[in-house]
Amino acid sequence: MYLKCTSCRILHHCLWDSLSRTLLEGLLEHSLVSTYEPKEFIFHERDEAYGLYVLCQGLVKLIKSAQNNKQMIVALVHPGQLLGVTFALNGGLFPMSAQAVDLSTVLFLHRKHFDDLLQRDPSLSLLLLSYSNEQLGQTLNTLIDLVALNVEQRLAGALLQFAESAANHTNSGLVCRLPLRRAELADYIGTTPETTMRVLGKLKRENVIKIERRMITFLDIQRLRELAHSA
Amino acid sequence: MYLKCTSCRILHHCLWDSLSRTLLEGLLEHSLVSTYEPKEFIFHERDEAYGLYVLCQGLVKLIKSAQNNKQMIVALVHPGQLLGVTFALNGGLFPMSAQAVDLSTVLFLHRKHFDDLLQRDPSLSLLLLSYSNEQLGQTLNTLIDLVALNVEQRLAGALLQFAESAANHTNSGLVCRLPLRRAELADYIGTTPETTMRVLGKLKRENVIKIERRMITFLDIQRLRELAHSA
DNA sequence: CGAGCGCTTGAGCGTCCTCAAGGTTCGTGG
DNA sequence: CCACGAACCTTGAGGACGCTCAAGCGCTCG
């Protein structure tokens, strides 16, 4: 289900701010848009990287799997961000899979058009380089958190991320929709659903958070920060 | 202690194979060389990245630290490889520290000269991009190993790396020098020195390896592969 | 209204960490 | 050349954190 996307506004923001107008329009002209249902894969680990993906709407998780049917959510991708960074250039393979969490609209640019753009504006590759480095830095943070922090600290950290990205104030505190299900949350912080539940339960009992369905209320965000950062 | 390095041969290999001769010579002309004793730092986490580093001789570890004086060896850098990838371009901060393991010779290229090179040959940035992606892929592998594998599997994997990179055949099996001390080995596979010792002891008792001082003999490398890959 | 999936909680146990102590190697200076 | 201290290596005992397996409940959607 491919459509031309000439009216997509998301590209005018975020990463692409520093690009020239001609580049942006070239991107809009040659790229293809498709939508993905929740749990649908955009690409799989070890797929050949035929091009570049940009998320327009929705939420996508990047996951890496191991043999023993364990997996880890390596990153969450928000609208305006790239998927699969630039493995497309190597003609290489994706090191992880991309799977829609919510209904998502994704823009795809084939490698050949991408190469054209790079020819026209060499500064594009520098932008991508800084993006790739950003990704690397994020992954290193995930890595060190995994060895140095316990589950409660990691969970607190993840919840704080959600709070910062999409929370609304109400009279009882910050409120936002949990973007991930319990099992996904577990994969995100590198633990099991059961352990995630137990720690969530502890936070609820201590009146740090409140959860109803997919909505989470941050009753004591200061306490949550203490839990995330201290020993 | 800076010296001009016009005779360094290492740059003619490895990463730089695909660069033009003029670029290579520009690199040799403008870069500075210094040597580092074991345990000496080349740069620290959160340092401003003033330029690019290339390892000519020796061995360097990239480490990331957490509050609770835990740390993790994020990568080992061998001669011909880059340190700190290209955080230099952002004018950003290093996300990890670089510390010499063995006596090491390191080439430094200031950002301003690096920018000149990028101007002259835009394909350089693509090369760096693929290098950065390679790093990211490696880090993702470390990450998934950490959540999906136990200590024995990770240790077996690390030992196999050493065997592949620098082993000599003898009549009793493959032999090589362990590049890391016990505590470093522990930081490399994300555990404690004590646990590392216990698993090493188990492997010795089972006649999979033999260790004397810093020399390790691989008595049954096939068994080691089984331990690394299976559940 | 029923089936399936997601959520929640419990019991038991295994892996790995912590703390502690003793032995060995290495470097340095007398 | 030897002696000493420091860093490193090695092993033990004990315990905590988080995983596994299992079961019941609730929501949601066909």
Side-chain angles (χ1 to χ4, degrees), chain A residues 122-123 126, chain B residues 23 89 111-125:
Chain A
S123 74
L126 293 181
Chain B
L23 264 184
L89 293 170
R111 194 161 66 203
K112 68 185 176 202
H113 294 123
F114 193 54
D115 285 343
D116 289 346
L117 295 182
L118 283 171
Q119 295 288 332
R120 273 198 274 165
D121 187 349
S123 74
L124 177 57
S125 60

Side-chain angles (χ1 to χ4, degrees), chain A residues 135-145, chain B residues 64 74 87 95-96 139:
Chain A
Q135 290 283 106
L136 182 53
Q138 296 275 343
T139 307
L140 290 176
N141 284 332
T142 307
L143 189 65
I144 190 67
D145 283 355
Chain B
K64 186 147 183 93
V74 157
F87 297 96
M96 72 298 203
T139 308

Side-chain angles (χ1 to χ4, degrees), chain B residues 150-151 191 194-195 213:
Chain B
N150 63 27
V151 171
T191 184
E194 294 93 333
T195 300
R213 315 269 251 84

Side-chain angles (χ1 to χ4, degrees), chain B residues 57-68:
Chain B
Q57 283 179 9
L59 183 65
V60 170
K61 58 180 175 182
L62 301 181
I63 61 184
K64 186 147 183 93
S65 301
Q67 287 83 350
N68 23 345

Side-chain angles (χ1 to χ4, degrees), chain A residues 129-130 133, chain B residues 49 52 82-91 114 128 132:
Chain A
L129 189 53
S130 87
N133 281 332
Chain B
L52 190 74
L82 299 175
L83 281 75
V85 199
T86 47
F87 297 96
L89 293 170
N90 309 358
F114 193 54
L128 292 171
S132 177

Side-chain angles (χ1 to χ4, degrees), chain A residues 4-16:
Chain A
K4 284 287 174 186
C5 172
T6 53
S7 61
C8 182
R9 292 275 156 248
I10 195 73
L11 293 181
H12 295 278
H13 311 297
C14 310
L15 177 69
W16 307 96

Side-chain angles (χ1 to χ4, degrees), chain B:
Chain B
M1 176 175 45
Y2 284 111
L3 303 169
K4 284 286 175 185
C5 172
T6 53
S7 61
C8 182
R9 291 276 157 247
I10 196 73
L11 291 181
H12 295 277
H13 311 297
C14 309
L15 177 71
W16 307 96
D17 280 347
S18 53
L19 289 186
S20 69
R21 183 176 178 80
T22 55
L23 264 184
L24 181 58
E25 288 175 351
L27 192 67
L28 289 174
E29 181 179 358
H30 290 295
S31 58
L32 299 168
V33 171
S34 53
T35 61
Y36 295 88
E37 295 293 320
K39 297 186 190 303
E40 201 176 347
F41 280 87
I42 291 94
F43 55 78
H44 286 84
E45 195 172 341
R46 287 182 294 277
D47 273 359
E48 196 175 331
Y50 285 114
L52 190 74
Y53 297 86
V54 184
L55 181 61
C56 295
Q57 283 179 9
L59 183 65
V60 170
K61 58 180 175 182
L62 301 181
I63 61 184
K64 186 147 183 93
S65 301
Q67 287 83 350
N68 23 345
N69 66 357
K70 298 194 180 185
Q71 61 180 29
M72 174 108 192
I73 295 184
V74 157
L76 292 177
V77 181
H78 295 275
Q81 296 182 321
L82 299 175
L83 281 75
V85 199
T86 47
F87 297 96
L89 293 170
N90 309 358
L93 309 181
F94 286 117
M96 72 298 203
S97 308
Q99 190 180 12
V101 174
D102 299 329
L103 180 66
S104 296
T105 308
V106 174
L107 187 148
F108 174 76
L109 184 66
H110 194 278
R111 194 161 66 203
K112 68 185 176 202
H113 294 123
F114 193 54
D115 285 343
D116 289 346
L117 295 182
L118 283 171
Q119 295 288 332
R120 273 198 274 165
D121 187 349
S123 74
L124 177 57
S125 60
L126 293 181
L127 188 70
L128 292 171
L129 188 52
S130 87
Y131 192 84
S132 177
N133 282 332
E134 172 69 22
Q135 289 283 106
L136 181 54
Q138 296 276 344
T139 308
L140 289 176
N141 284 331
T142 306
L143 189 65
I144 190 67
D145 283 354
L146 214 49
V147 296
L149 272 41
N150 63 27
V151 171
E152 186 176 54
Q153 295 170 319
R154 281 180 270 148
L155 179 57
L159 295 181
L160 284 172
Q161 281 182 27
F162 302 150
E164 288 166 14
S165 68
N168 295 318
H169 285 272
T170 69
N171 48 9
S172 59
L174 288 171
V175 176
C176 76
R177 177 174 168 278
L178 269 180
L180 301 179
R181 299 176 174 287
R182 299 295 183 274
E184 291 175 319
L185 195 50
D187 286 341
Y188 190 49
I189 61 177
T191 184
T192 59
E194 294 93 333
T195 300
T196 304
M197 279 307 310
R198 278 179 245 280
V199 179
L200 279 179
K202 179 168 178 288
L203 293 178
K204 280 190 272 190
R205 258 177 279 120
E206 294 172 353
N207 292 315
V208 179
I209 59 170
K210 188 172 63 178
I211 296 185
E212 292 166 353
R213 315 269 251 84
R214 294 287 292 269
M215 299 306 290
I216 180 170
T217 305
F218 297 93
L219 303 172
D220 189 349
I221 204 156
Q222 188 51 45
R223 176 77 188 124
L224 202 58
R225 288 204 186 91
E226 290 170 18
L227 289 175
H229 291 303
S230 80

